């Protein structure tokens, strides 16, 4: 008598693929940011600071990044040491510290945008334009938590004489 083989857990497989993709994204992004001397977490903090109209409070950064304030302090310490940001006092409350980009920080931010685009191109290189469009819709649905409009995947391009990609 044979033991029945359980059906593959499709959602479990998708979850594993997403985790593997997340690790790959992090590795590629880190590789592209290394020459700038910036970590992915510092890059994220710089982008958040840049989105504010004026220098944000450290507490606002922690909320926006969804981290504890101590984590922001550590990130700002590193970025301040490299001259990318500076702490400035709040004009109305001397207990509050704000963070602003320096001129070096604005230059670094432009370089980060270029590095992020290069990293995205590396990650998306195996996909056709149609596949990228479908992926964009699916990712938006996952990020927003709203069902995506029905999309149809484009047929995959033939892979002639290509060795299979090693798993991450």
């Amino acid at each position: 008598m044979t033991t029945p083989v359980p059906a593959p857990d499709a959602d479990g497989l998708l979850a594993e693929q997403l985790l593997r993709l997340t690790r790959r994204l992090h590795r590629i992004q880190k590789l592209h940011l290394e020459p700038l001397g910036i970590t992915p977490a510092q890059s994220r903090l710089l982008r958040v600071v840049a989105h504010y109209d004026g220098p944000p409070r450290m507490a606002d950064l922690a909320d926006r990044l969804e981290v504890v304030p101590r984590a922001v302090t550590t990130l700002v310490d590193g970025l301040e040491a490299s001259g990318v940001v500076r702490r400035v006092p709040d004009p109305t409350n001397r207990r509050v510290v704000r963070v602003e980009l320096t001129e070096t920080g604005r230059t670094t931010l432009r370089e980060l945008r270029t590095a992020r685009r290069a990293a995205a191109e590396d990650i998306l290189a195996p996909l056709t334009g149609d596949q990228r469009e479908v992926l964009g819709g699916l990712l938006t649905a996952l990020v927003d938590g709203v069902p995506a409009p029905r999309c149809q995947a484009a047929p995959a391009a033939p892979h002639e004489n290509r060795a299979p990609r090693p798993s991450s």
Side-chain angles (χ1 to χ4, degrees), residues 44-109:
R44 188 167 170 232
L45 182 123
L46 284 175
R47 290 191 323 272
V48 168
V49 169
H51 282 290
Y52 282 89
D53 290 331
R57 298 177 319 143
M58 300 265 288
D60 294 334
L61 293 172
D63 287 344
R64 183 85 177 264
L65 294 168
E66 298 178 345
V67 299
V68 296
R70 178 70 187 118
V72 170
T73 300
T74 301
L75 291 171
V76 170
D77 287 347
L79 291 169
E80 190 173 38
S82 62
V84 177
V85 299
R86 70 177 144 254
R87 288 175 169 90
V88 294
D90 185 283
T92 61
N93 185 340
R94 64 188 180 106
R95 294 174 295 167
V96 173
V97 175
R98 295 185 175 268
V99 178
E100 70 180 6
L101 290 173
T102 62
E103 192 54 46
T104 301
R106 284 186 274 285
T107 300
T108 301
L109 197 57

Side-chain angles (χ1 to χ4, degrees), residues 8 11 25 55 82 87 89 95 104 106 112 115 120 132 134 136 139:
D11 287 345
L25 288 167
S82 62
R87 288 175 169 90
R95 294 174 295 167
T104 301
R106 284 186 274 285
L112 284 173
R132 289 178 189 206
V134 170
L139 290 174

Side-chain angles (χ1 to χ4, degrees), residues 138-162:
L138 295 172
L139 290 174
T140 297
L142 291 173
V143 168
D144 295 345
V146 177
R150 191 141 178 97
C151 20
Q152 185 136 5
H159 295 109
E160 298 172 3
N161 301 326
R162 276 186 41 182

